[in-house]
Amino acid sequence: MKIYNSRYSKLIKLLDFFTVNILVFAYLTYFYTDPTTASALLGIIFSLVFIRINEYFHLYTGELKGRYFTKSLALILSVSLSSIVSFLFFAIAEKLINKQPVENFILLAESLAKCSVFIFLIVFLVRVISSYYLFNSPLRVAILGITPAGLAIKNALQKEYSQRGFTITYFEDRNNQRESALTGIERHGTRSDLLALAKAGEIDEIYIALPMVARQRIKQFLNEFSDTTVDVFLVPDLFSYSPHISQLRMFGNLQTISIFTSPFDSEGAIIKYIEDMILGFIFTLISLPVMILVAIGIKVTSPGPILFKQTRYGLNGKQIEVWKFRTMRVMENSTVVTQATRNDPRITRFGAFLRKTSLDELPQFFNVLQGRMSIVGPRPHAVAHNEQYRVLVENYMIRHKVKPGITGLAQINGFRGETDTLDKMAKRIQYDLDYIQSWSLFLDLKIIILTFLRGFVGKNAF
C-alpha cells in the first residue's frame, strides 16, 4: 500500500484551477479573440480535466523537491491529455450547437497547443515555489514498535520525505527481538520515554506499528497519547494476511481491503482499453512492413505455416489463441509443451533471429486489437505451464485477473525467456503481481519505453 501525503492538496488544486483559467483566458484573449463566454468556458473545462488527471497521476501527493524530472514528465503528460480532452469536448459541443467551420477548430487546436506550453511552465513554477514553502519544515517522527510493519513504515516515510529534513526513531517496550531482520534496529527508549517526548513537544508524528493481536496495548497507547497534541497514526499490520493489498474500498462508512482484485475496474478499465486501442493501432501500422518481410523470410527459409497459434490463458483464466510468427519446425499446442532452450534443435535459423530480436511477437498486436491481450501485462504462458505452476507458485493465478501483455514488468527486469528453475518462475510471477498491484497509465508508458530501450534483445531471448 502506498503512503500519500495529502497535505495542502486542496490548496494546490485551487491554485491550479485559478492558474489554468487565468492563462487560458489571457492567452485566448490576447492571441485569439475578444473575451467571450466560450473562452471562459474552455478555461473551466480545461482546469477541471487538468485537476482530475493530476489526481490520477498523484501530482497532489508527496513532495516535489528532488523529484523534478519524474514530476515534470507526469505534468507534461497531464497538460497534454487535458488539452486533447478539452479540445474534443469543446469541438464536439461547438459543432453540434453552433456548427463552426473546420478552420475554427484548427485554430482552436493550435491555440490550445501553444497555451499548454505556458500552462506547463507556469504550473510547474507554482509547484516548485509552493513545495519550497509548504514542505520546508523538518519533521520529527517516532515509530512505536520494532516490527515488520514498523520497518515498512520507516522505508515508506524515507521514500516520501526523501528531500525533506526529518528524523525517525524507534521506541519499543520489549527488550528482545525474535526476527533477525529487526535485531539491528536501534531502540531509543520505551513507550514511557516516547510519551514524555510527546508531552514536551519534541515529536511531530507517532506511528504505532504493533501487531494486530496487541489490541489492548494499542488501545492503551492511544489513550495515553490522547493527552498530548502530537499527530498519532496507526499502522495496521494488514500484510500479515497477504502481501497483495492494493486498495481500500468504501461502502458507506464501512472500509474493505482488496486482496485479490483487478486494477482495471470502472475508469481503470476504460483507460486501459483506450491505451491498448490507440497504441495497438499505432504499433500495428508501424510494424506492418516488418511483419510482411518476416512472413516472406519464414516462407522462404522453412516449410510450414507463417503464423503459430497457441492456446493460452487470458483474462480471468479463459483460454485464448495467441499469435506468433513460427520459429520452430514443430507446432506444440498440447497438454505437454517443452519450453525453448538455448541452442534448441527445434528452432530454425531464421526463427532463432526472430526470437533473439523478439520479432516473433509482432502478430500479438492483432491480439491486442481483438481485445484478447494488452500492450503491457503479464506474459501469457502455455496452458500446460499454467497447470504445472499454479500448484507450485503461490498466488500464481492472480496474474490472470488482467489481460496478458506483449511486454511487462518482469520482462524489462530480465525475467524473460526460459524459466528452467522454479525460483525464476516465482520471481517472474512476483513482478507480475507487483505490476497488478501498482498499475497506472504512467507505469505502462514507462514499461513500453524501457522495452524499446532494453527489452527486445537480451541474453535470455532465445
Side-chain angles (χ1 to χ4, degrees), residues 227-273:
D227 191 37
T228 71
T229 58
V230 70
D231 293 336
V232 180
F233 300 88
L234 184 62
V235 185
D237 189 16
L238 301 176
F239 293 102
S240 59
Y241 296 104
S242 173
H244 304 299
I245 296 171
S246 58
Q247 58 178 281
L248 299 176
R249 187 171 292 183
M250 298 288 294
F251 296 95
N253 292 325
L254 181 64
Q255 302 89 21
T256 63
I257 304 165
S258 72
I259 305 294
F260 305 132
T261 57
S262 168
F264 306 131
D265 56 0
S266 62
E267 65 179 25
I270 298 173
I271 293 171
K272 186 68 169 176
Y273 179 79

Side-chain angles (χ1 to χ4, degrees), residues 265-403:
D265 56 0
S266 62
E267 65 179 25
I270 298 173
I271 293 171
K272 186 68 169 176
Y273 179 79
I274 294 174
E275 172 197 342
D276 285 336
M277 290 301 104
I278 293 176
L279 294 181
F281 182 74
I282 293 173
F283 290 149
T284 301
L285 286 181
I286 294 174
S287 60
L288 199 55
V290 179
M291 284 195 273
I292 294 173
L293 293 176
V294 170
I296 295 173
I298 293 174
K299 205 65 179 174
V300 170
T301 56
S302 64
I306 295 172
L307 293 178
F308 168 53
K309 300 178 183 179
Q310 190 176 60
T311 303
R312 303 194 175 187
Y313 280 176
L315 181 63
N316 295 324
K318 295 180 181 179
Q319 293 188 5
I320 62 172
E321 277 193 340
V322 174
W323 296 349
K324 297 179 69 173
F325 281 123
R326 181 177 59 84
T327 59
M328 293 186 176
R329 297 178 177 87
V330 297
M331 306 285 283
E332 293 184 344
N333 190 27
S334 60
T335 56
V336 178
V337 177
T338 305
Q339 284 190 348
T341 59
R342 194 178 299 275
N343 301 319
D344 196 316
R346 298 171 300 166
I347 300 176
T348 65
R349 291 185 63 183
F350 188 62
F353 166 74
L354 296 180
R355 297 175 74 94
K356 186 69 176 177
T357 56
S358 298
L359 292 176
D360 61 319
E361 311 283 356
L362 290 179
Q364 290 172 26
F365 286 122
F366 293 110
N367 287 129
V368 173
L369 295 179
Q370 288 176 328
R372 297 175 182 175
M373 292 180 62
S374 289
I375 301 292
V376 182
R379 286 292 297 148
H381 298 156
V383 171
H385 296 151
N386 276 306
E387 296 305 317
Q388 175 187 358
Y389 288 110
R390 69 188 301 174
V391 297
L392 298 176
V393 180
E394 185 181 7
N395 297 319
Y396 178 90
M397 289 302 291
I398 298 179
R399 69 197 302 271
H400 296 100
K401 296 193 73 65
V402 301
K403 292 179 183 179

Side-chain angles (χ1 to χ4, degrees), residues 26 48 60 64 98 218 233 264 326 377 390 405 427 435:
L48 293 177
Y60 296 118
L64 183 65
N98 299 323
I218 293 173
F233 300 88
F264 306 131
R326 181 177 59 84
R390 69 188 301 174
K427 290 287 182 62
Y435 168 76

